[in-house]
Amino acid sequence: MSRDVLLPRNSPEESNFLANRTRHSRTTSRAKSRGSTTVVVVKLEIRTQALLNWMSPPCSLVVEEPDDEAAQAGIVERWRVSHAKTGDALSVSIYEVLHDSSHELGVDPGLQKDGVEADLQRLLAEQVELVGEGTVLIRREYPTAIGPVDLLVRDPEGGTIAVEVKRRGDIDGVEQLTRYLELLNRDPHLAPVKGVFAAQEIKPQAKVLAGDRGIRTLTLDYAAMKGVESGAPTLF
């Protein structure tokens, strides 16, 4: 749950400095909760300055009704945020609310990395012509005795092509592909088997080693493969 509250004035009582300067200042208080985690941020806009106070997770938020003395002072609501580990507390006294909205955040999807090797492999299998004109995909994850080859492709000139896909290509990846090639070339139905080492970024040492072993390197543009403009300047 995300809650945004626009306030004409408030008083974070943790700091007298802030309290004295924000009593009549426009302030945005934001509380975000997901499960047992709550994050509260108070942004204070004072003329050209923007002061910031916050309480980082893990912490809990309790909304309190003001006591008689606080109500007489004009306080309509009080937020008390307590840190679960340190015991620190931040109290925000709210005098007037200009806007109050809440938004469901849904289920936390967790950290997801875009452009992992599985994504690159899938996209390259769908756009196998990037490996070479006229190539045809035989299979993804082609099994061998020492593990699967990412892509096995039919070479229009005869034989097959084994493609190893990495996000960042280094010497270890070239060594891995070399071992696959040694095994695959023993199969008369597949031989001759060439190698292509494909990655978003290939280290210079890996390019040198690949060239020495007759393996072609292929740099992949993940954004272009997804159909998204990469922002890199091009001739056309």
Side-chain angles (χ1 to χ4, degrees):
M1 173 73 73
S2 173
R3 183 183 182 192
D4 296 315
V5 182
L6 179 61
L7 314 167
R9 54 180 181 161
N10 70 5
S11 173
E13 295 171 355
E14 185 191 52
S15 168
N16 291 331
F17 174 83
L18 290 175
N20 292 336
R21 285 161 175 75
T22 63
R23 185 175 178 83
H24 299 285
S25 303
R26 175 164 291 188
T27 305
T28 301
S29 295
R30 174 168 294 176
K32 292 190 176 183
S33 299
R34 195 186 292 275
S36 60
T37 300
T38 301
V39 180
V40 174
V41 175
V42 182
K43 183 178 181 182
L44 315 170
E45 298 176 3
I46 308 175
R47 295 182 182 179
T48 58
Q49 296 179 330
L51 302 179
L52 192 65
N53 205 344
W54 68 90
M55 177 70 71
S56 298
C59 59
S60 59
L61 169 67
V62 177
V63 179
E64 304 173 341
E65 293 292 330
D67 55 26
D68 292 340
E69 182 179 353
Q72 290 178 2
I75 297 173
V76 297
E77 190 174 275
R78 179 166 285 162
W79 292 8
R80 183 171 298 278
V81 188
S82 302
H83 198 279
K85 295 183 178 179
T86 65
D88 293 339
L90 172 67
S91 179
V92 181
S93 297
I94 300 175
Y95 292 83
E96 183 181 359
V97 177
L98 300 181
H99 174 75
D100 187 349
S101 63
S102 298
H103 315 278
E104 287 293 339
L105 298 179
V107 179
D108 188 356
L111 180 63
Q112 296 181 344
K113 185 186 293 183
D114 194 22
V116 296
E117 288 178 13
D119 296 328
L120 291 169
Q121 183 191 125
R122 174 181 55 80
L123 289 170
L124 188 56
E126 295 171 355
Q127 303 170 46
V128 71
E129 67 277 0
L130 294 175
V131 176
E133 186 177 354
T135 53
V136 178
L137 178 67
I138 297 175
R139 179 174 172 175
R140 291 177 57 185
E141 300 289 340
Y142 187 87
T144 74
I146 58 173
V149 179
D150 289 336
L151 301 178
L152 192 66
V153 178
R154 181 69 62 188
D155 189 345
E157 299 179 356
T160 52
I161 302 173
V163 184
E164 183 64 24
V165 181
K166 300 290 186 184
R167 289 186 68 245
R168 290 180 175 84
D170 54 22
I171 289 178
D172 289 341
V174 177
E175 294 284 5
Q176 182 181 5
L177 180 54
T178 300
R179 293 191 293 269
Y180 290 147
L181 293 173
E182 290 177 356
L183 284 176
L184 293 171
N185 272 299
R186 298 175 187 175
D187 188 337
H189 300 289
L190 300 177
V193 184
K194 301 176 184 177
V196 171
F197 188 57
Q200 285 182 272
E201 177 186 351
I202 303 176
K203 294 183 177 180
Q205 299 92 331
K207 288 184 177 181
V208 172
L209 182 60
D212 183 67
R213 297 184 177 180
I215 296 172
R216 182 162 57 90
T217 57
L218 174 63
T219 302
L220 302 175
D221 186 337
Y222 179 65
M225 293 172 73
K226 286 205 315 180
V228 178
E229 291 290 341
S230 64
T234 57
L235 184 59
F236 299 102

